[in-house]
């Protein structure tokens, strides 16, 4: 099918969220500059146990080589093996379409992402060397997510380097959502863990941790410090000013669209950059 303008499909789990909004802003900025179109499709969390997710996966049927010239993929934080297999088959059927993933490559395609190891290492150095903390607890993202795995690995490596302990009783696997931060506090503190600081793999969970500690009469950071990760614009605008790691999701979206446009035009861009994060020291 001939179209006057190039059109990209952007696949994400939820089309309206603070995290996605920053990425969308960067994609839209490039699309406007290059005079291109995009259709955003919320394909759900790829969880086969969730009826809504199963229904949303039907949006993938709209993505064909006749309708689109390329695909930008933003992986879900909570995808299951079922969802990944569905995507793998879909992408195999779209082998002729250029694809760029935002985050670690899902199936060997081009990708743009942040250096999660560098970001978590920076925040741990600040906590261990600058503050002298020795008792840590950690709230990870879902370990089906590759970025969550890297952040947890960097956290553990920093503690190993400093000769500090870590273990199952001081780590909680969250979902990257606020509620799991709340649940983590119950798990950690009712398990008799007495951390000086709770390190969280993103700001949403840190927000849940902060509120849960407050309901227990625990003052942040005087009794227990809390750190986040990502520094999304929505959460940084709140009164809860976490020490966190800033990642420019707007820039990530812009670069993804730029690279995809190059592939569509038959131009092979330079090796994808691994973007560095910035430590933001605040009041938590």
């Amino acid at each position: 099918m001939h179209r006057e303008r190039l059109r990209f499909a952007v696949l994400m789990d939820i089309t309206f969220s603070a995290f996605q909004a920053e990425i969308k802003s960067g994609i839209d900025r490039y699309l406007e500059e290059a005079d291109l179109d995009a259709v955003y499709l919320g394909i759900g969390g790829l969880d086969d146990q969730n009826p809504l997710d199963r229904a949303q996966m039907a949006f993938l049927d709209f993505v064909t080589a006749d309708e689109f010239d390329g695909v930008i993929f933003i992986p879900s934080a909570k995808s299951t093996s079922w969802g990944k297999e569905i995507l793998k088959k879909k992408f195999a059927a779209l082998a002729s379409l250029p694809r760029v993933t935002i985050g670690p490559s899902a199936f060997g395609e081009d990708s743009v992402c942040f250096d999660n190891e560098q970001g978590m290492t920076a925040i741990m150095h600040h906590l261990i060397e600058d503050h002298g903390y020795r008792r840590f607890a950690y709230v990870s993202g879902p370990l089906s997510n590759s970025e969550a795995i890297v952040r947890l690995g960097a956290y553990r490596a920093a503690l190993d380097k400093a000769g500090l302990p870590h273990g199952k009783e001081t780590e909680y696997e969250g979902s990257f959502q606020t509620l799991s931060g709340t649940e983590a506090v119950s798990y950690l503190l009712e398990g008799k863990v007495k951390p000086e600081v709770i390190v969280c793999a993103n700001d949403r969970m840190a927000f849940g941790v902060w509120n849960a500690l407050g309901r227990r009469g625990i003052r942040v950071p005087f009794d227990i410090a809390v750190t986040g990760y990502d520094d999304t614009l929505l959460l940084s605008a709140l009164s809860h000013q976490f020490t966190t790691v800033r990642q420019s999701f707007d820039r990530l979206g812009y670069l993804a669209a730029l690279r995809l446009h190059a592939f569509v035009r038959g131009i092979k861009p330079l090796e994808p950059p691994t973007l560095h994060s910035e430590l933001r020291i605040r009041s938590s």
Side-chain angles (χ1 to χ4, degrees):
M1 179 185 295
H2 174 74
R3 289 187 307 277
E4 293 183 359
R5 291 161 60 95
L6 294 176
R7 181 193 297 153
F8 297 160
V10 183
L11 306 180
M12 55 178 63
D13 53 0
I14 304 171
T15 52
F16 301 101
S17 73
F19 166 71
Q20 308 288 18
E22 290 187 53
I23 292 177
K24 183 178 184 297
S25 174
I27 294 173
D28 288 347
R29 188 158 52 88
Y30 182 81
L31 296 177
E32 183 175 358
E33 291 176 8
D35 196 28
L36 307 175
D37 292 327
V39 176
Y40 292 84
L41 299 170
I43 60 173
L46 309 180
D47 181 357
D48 57 325
Q49 301 302 311
N50 185 322
L52 180 59
D53 281 355
R54 294 182 70 97
Q56 286 183 277
M57 287 289 287
F59 281 121
L60 285 174
D61 294 336
F62 292 102
V63 183
T64 67
D66 287 336
E67 293 295 332
F68 296 98
D69 301 289
V71 177
I72 295 174
F73 176 50
I74 308 171
S76 170
K78 56 179 182 176
S79 59
T80 64
S81 57
W82 172 85
K84 290 177 181 177
E85 188 60 30
I86 294 292
L87 279 176
K88 185 177 181 179
K89 291 178 180 178
K90 180 63 178 180
F91 285 168
L94 295 173
S96 62
L97 277 184
R99 299 193 309 275
V100 175
T101 289
I102 293 179
S105 178
F107 306 108
E109 71 281 359
D110 188 78
S111 67
V112 291
C113 60
F114 286 101
D115 188 338
N116 285 276
E117 182 177 1
Q118 172 261 330
M120 184 57 73
T121 299
I123 207 165
M124 291 299 292
H125 181 273
H126 170 68
L127 295 171
I128 294 170
E129 301 299 331
D130 297 342
H131 284 285
Y133 291 127
R134 292 296 179 266
R135 299 194 310 276
F136 284 77
Y138 188 76
V139 185
S140 82
L143 297 182
S144 59
N145 178 270
S146 56
E147 291 183 289
I149 293 171
V150 173
R151 293 177 192 181
L152 175 58
Y155 163 82
R156 289 172 174 172
L159 293 181
D160 287 338
K161 183 178 179 180
L164 299 175
H166 58 81
K168 182 178 180 180
E169 69 280 1
T170 61
E171 296 173 358
Y172 181 85
E173 182 180 352
S175 64
F176 279 145
Q177 301 302 315
T178 303
L179 178 60
S180 63
T182 302
E183 294 168 343
V185 170
S186 296
Y187 172 84
L188 294 170
L189 299 191
E190 291 174 10
K192 308 306 179 185
V193 172
K194 295 182 179 179
E196 296 173 296
V197 55
I198 299 177
V199 179
C200 302
N202 80 340
D203 289 343
R204 287 182 178 275
M205 295 189 299
F207 183 63
V209 167
W210 186 310
N211 286 340
L213 291 176
R215 287 194 289 271
R216 291 169 178 260
I218 298 172
R219 302 168 302 162
V220 178
F222 307 103
D223 301 321
I224 297 178
V226 177
T227 64
Y229 203 106
D230 288 340
D231 197 31
T232 56
L233 293 177
L234 174 64
L235 287 174
S236 65
L238 298 173
S239 60
H240 300 74
Q241 290 291 292
F242 306 115
T243 290
T244 188
V245 173
R246 171 64 178 159
Q247 301 189 120
S248 176
F249 295 110
D250 176 274
R251 185 182 177 204
L252 206 59
Y254 184 94
L255 287 176
L258 182 152
R259 292 183 69 80
L260 183 60
H261 191 199
F263 284 121
V264 169
R265 290 177 294 163
I267 301 170
K268 185 177 180 179
L270 297 175
E271 285 299 309
T274 298
L275 306 180
H276 289 289
S277 307
E278 178 187 350
L279 179 64
R280 294 288 181 89
I281 300 173
R282 296 184 178 133
S283 63
S284 68

